[in-house]
Amino acid sequence: MIKCPRTVVCYICGREYGTKSINIHEPQCLKKWHNENNLLPKELRRPEPKKPEIRTITAKGFYDLDALNEAAWTSAQSQLVPCNICGRTFLPDRLIVHQRSCKPKAAK
Ligand SMILES: [Zn+2]
Ligand SMILES: [Zn+2]
C-alpha cells in the first residue's frame, strides 16, 4: 500500500517538494542561493541558511515532518529582508526591484 505522499519544505526557498525531489532540489537551491547572494550589495548579503536539525521521531518511528517543515519554513522566512520604506519583506533580489518603484508616501 502506498501512503499519501508528503511534501517537505525547502529550508532555503520555502517551497514544498516531494520527499524524493527535495534531495535533488536542496543542493541546487543552495548553489543558486550562493550565486544570488554573491551578486547582492554587501548590506543585503545574508549568512548561509542552516538546515534545521530536527530529530523528533513520532510514535510510528518516522521523522516528524510537521516539525521539520515548520523549522524549514522559519529558516526560509529569515532569508527575507524588510523594505526600509514600506516595511514589507522580500527576497533580497526582489527587494532591489521593489525599491525602484517603492516611494515614500506624501512626499511633496
Ligand atoms: Zn529551495
Ligand atoms: Zn517598499
Side-chain angles (χ1 to χ4, degrees):
M1 210 187 111
I2 298 162
K3 281 195 176 177
C4 197
R6 296 291 307 267
T7 56
V8 184
V9 175
C10 170
Y11 71 100
I12 305 153
C13 67
R15 294 210 297 256
E16 288 182 32
Y17 292 87
T19 46
K20 286 212 177 89
S21 48
I22 188 80
N23 292 325
I24 302 158
H25 167 79
E26 257 180 22
Q28 291 172 346
C29 193
L30 193 62
K31 208 170 164 187
K32 186 167 162 273
W33 183 92
H34 276 288
N35 287 342
E36 284 175 359
N37 202 47
N38 289 342
L39 292 173
L40 292 171
K42 270 205 181 93
E43 67 271 18
L44 288 182
R45 284 188 201 168
R46 302 144 294 166
E48 185 181 310
K50 289 271 170 287
K51 189 174 177 136
E53 293 287 338
I54 303 263
R55 289 288 174 262
T56 320
I57 310 283
T58 59
K60 284 175 182 171
F62 295 110
Y63 287 129
D64 188 343
L65 264 188
D66 288 331
L68 189 67
N69 281 347
E70 206 181 303
W73 174 249
T74 308
S75 166
Q77 290 306 296
S78 70
Q79 295 295 306
L80 300 178
V81 181
C83 169
N84 56 16
I85 302 162
C86 68
R88 284 163 66 196
T89 51
F90 299 88
L91 286 170
D93 58 330
R94 292 273 163 270
L95 180 68
I96 292 166
V97 176
H98 163 80
Q99 283 190 333
R100 283 186 205 134
S101 58
C102 184
K103 299 270 185 315
K105 278 183 184 168
K108 218 179 181 185

